[in-house]
Amino acid sequence: MTKKREIDDVTGVETTGHEWDGIKELNKPLPRWWLLTFYASIIWSVGYWIVYPAWPLANDYTRGIWGYSQRATVAAEVKAGIDAQAAMRQKLDQTPLADVRKDPELLRFASAAGSASFQTNCAPCHGRGAQGFTGYPNLNDDDWIWGGTVEEIHKTLLHGIRTGDDQARAIQMPKFGVDKLLDDAKINDVAEYTMSLAGKASDATAAGRGAAVYKEQCALCHGDDGKGKIDQGAPNLTDAIWLYGGTKEQVVESIRTGRGGMMPAWGPRLDSTTLKSLAVYVHSLGGGK
Ligand code: HEC
Ligand code: HEC
């Protein structure tokens, strides 16, 4: 039943005849321009569905008659980028490792490529800034276990450390405690001596006894002076840089177990240009020799 239309006293506008508890609804239709825009946008969206990818289907989506795809655009951009780099990559392939740093442009390219690959492949173990963690060496300093020339770094990368690869860095410190090569008392003495090598306070009497054990058991790899030997992968014991920690307990643990950190071989996983740029990048971090 339609009620009679009436004019609202206050505004002078016609009401719709709807009333709730004395509140009456004014008859205010939507402006024409608004309605037209609204209908136009509906028509526009139908056109959009037809030409562009729009509706999800069970296993696919409507692709639109223009065949537009962001994935294809990205793929084309990536290919353009790779093409642009191809010349530099080729140059890097042909330049001997040691000569890369003589060419500033090539060095910049290799370091940037190496840095990107480092974040993906190496940062989980060595840290985003290559600062290292206990058991994972800092690659920024000039303290190298296996050698800090760009060629040595490259070799470490290619074959890894204690991986079983026949060219890997393989030397392993004896497990003096685990394999009962030394008893606890001798391990304690030689640990005290190791502490004294690093200039840390130690029990002088025990260290004196440890000196003899060191000469017999350790000097072969760590050197008579404790400064380490790169060809043995035996770290310098006289500096403040410790791979496994420099407290007495940590040193005893190193001697007891021989540690034996492992790093994967990257030769089988990465292409030769990437390996080269990684070596250049690590070498350029500051500690390269
Ligand atoms: C799974 C962990 C791991 C990953 C990933 C890893 N490393 Fe290592 N890396 C190690 C460990 C552990 C050592 C030390 C091994 C030892 O005790 O001598 C090491 C040692 C090194 C050394 C020798 C340092 C020295 O003082 O001689 C270099 C160089 C190196 N890593 C570079 C890299 C680069 C570059 C990558 C990425 C391509 C990488 N590492 C990825 C664990 C890792
Ligand atoms: C066969 C060679 C070899 C002999 C012998 C040897 N070491 Fe080592 N030592 C190594 C290697 C290699 C490492 C590095 C282990 C690793 O990176 O996982 C090492 C690591 C250590 C570390 C840990 C250093 C750090 O930075 O945390 C200590 C401490 C140490 N050795 C003390 C000794 C003492 C003391 C002896 C004698 C009782 C000895 N080593 C005998 C090869 C040797």
Side-chain angles (χ1 to χ4, degrees), residues 68-127:
Y68 173 79
S69 149
Q70 282 182 327
R71 206 166 287 199
T73 314
V74 169
E77 279 168 9
V78 167
K79 183 169 182 314
I82 289 173
D83 289 348
Q85 287 179 0
M88 288 306 278
R89 290 179 69 88
Q90 197 181 4
K91 193 166 172 194
L92 184 57
D93 275 340
Q94 288 161 358
T95 310
L97 259 176
D99 293 342
V100 172
R101 72 178 133 162
K102 293 183 192 148
D103 179 338
E105 196 194 4
L106 192 59
L107 178 62
R108 218 174 313 124
F109 173 79
S111 303
S115 162
S117 174
F118 189 90
Q119 294 307 329
T120 318
N121 296 300
C122 323
C125 288
H126 290 283

Side-chain angles (χ1 to χ4, degrees), residues 13-84:
V13 174
E14 190 190 34
T15 71
T16 59
H18 301 155
E19 182 185 336
W20 296 272
D21 296 337
I23 299 171
K24 293 176 181 170
E25 186 183 32
L26 299 184
N27 186 10
K28 287 252 186 184
L30 289 163
R32 176 169 294 266
W33 66 264
W34 193 94
L35 273 177
L36 289 178
T37 316
F38 181 58
Y39 293 137
S41 67
I42 291 175
I43 294 165
W44 169 263
S45 67
V46 172
Y48 191 98
W49 298 338
I50 294 170
V51 298
Y52 282 115
W55 291 100
L57 305 175
N59 298 316
D60 200 14
Y61 56 91
T62 59
R63 287 172 187 269
I65 56 177
W66 283 0
Y68 173 79
S69 149
Q70 282 182 327
R71 206 166 287 199
T73 314
V74 169
E77 279 168 9
V78 167
K79 183 169 182 314
I82 289 173
D83 289 348

Side-chain angles (χ1 to χ4, degrees), residues 117-118 121-126 135-139 143-148 153 156-157 161-162 233 243-244 260-264 266 270 275 278-279 282:
S117 174
F118 189 90
N121 296 300
C122 323
C125 288
H126 290 283
Y136 301 93
N138 180 341
L139 303 176
D143 195 56
W144 294 96
I145 305 171
W146 301 99
I153 294 171
T156 303
L157 287 183
I161 300 168
R162 304 187 184 96
L243 185 55
Y244 296 101
M262 285 172 65
M263 172 160 101
W266 295 93
L270 302 173
L275 287 162
L278 274 167
V282 171

